[in-house]
Amino acid sequence: MSTSGNIPAAPPGWYTDPAGTGRLRWWDGFAWTDQFSTPAQPVLQGWPAGTSPYAGTNPYTQAGYPGGPHANVGFTSERPLLRRDAPVYNPLIWVITLLPLLSTVLLLLWTPEFRFIRVGRQQTLDPWSLFTPAYFLLLFSGFAAYAASIVLAWFDSQRLTRDGVVRPFHWAWSFLSSGVYVIGRSVIMAKVARGRGLVPIWVLIAVFVLNIVVTNIKMSALMSSMIETIPA
């Protein structure tokens, strides 16, 4: 689908094959691909081979352009492949993937001073000795990271749509957890980007393992510190 002058190129989508095959052909935003879709209903005659769909005065009303007479013809459940130079990663997905590290860092900063109080004849840990500012910051960070991952997933989904991804993984899955969105998004991207797009899953696994290791080490250190402070 060529353009001329200052007329913008059509966005990625299914358009009438300019070769006159009567089928819809996927335009990736820059060039015609080899993907075809059989129309669900008869389509009007396509553009003559080698001509621009913008022969009229208004390119946004041409057949096959979103909103034009062929806008919803030939819908297919198969997601077309992205062009090879299309981006599959962006800063948003990396922030979503690495957000759990925030709690890990704050956990390392939590250093309560254990105190014991006497209840009857027994020594009992004073629960207020645990509630340091770092504890409340750690507690708040979990809610903040959850909310941030939902917002970032929405922006990431919108960005993927602009980059030409048809029906990207829905951002609402992030309400379950950020990990669900990262995994679902990566699987979809691997399908439409010829195997690319799985790196966030491996990063997510690394973050998960790191969180477990750090949490176990920190809890062991806290238990040792508490035992040492128990009055004789």
Side-chain angles (χ1 to χ4, degrees), residues 105-187:
V105 173
L106 294 177
L107 178 62
L108 293 174
L109 298 177
W110 180 43
T111 54
E113 297 181 1
F114 297 106
R115 297 188 302 270
F116 288 83
I117 58 177
R118 182 174 293 276
V119 179
R121 296 182 178 181
Q122 296 181 342
Q123 295 286 346
T124 303
L125 177 66
D126 182 4
W128 290 104
S129 63
L130 303 176
F131 300 147
T132 64
Y135 171 83
F136 290 104
L137 187 59
L138 175 62
L139 189 64
F140 173 76
S141 69
F143 294 102
Y146 174 75
S149 65
I150 295 175
V151 175
L152 292 173
W154 183 85
F155 281 108
D156 178 64
S157 179
Q158 296 298 311
R159 182 164 181 170
L160 291 178
T161 300
R162 293 195 299 269
D163 290 339
V165 180
V166 177
R167 302 191 317 281
F169 193 68
H170 202 283
W171 64 271
W173 284 102
S174 60
F175 278 99
L176 294 180
S177 74
S178 60
V180 171
Y181 178 78
V182 170
I183 294 173
R185 178 209 196 264
S186 300
V187 171

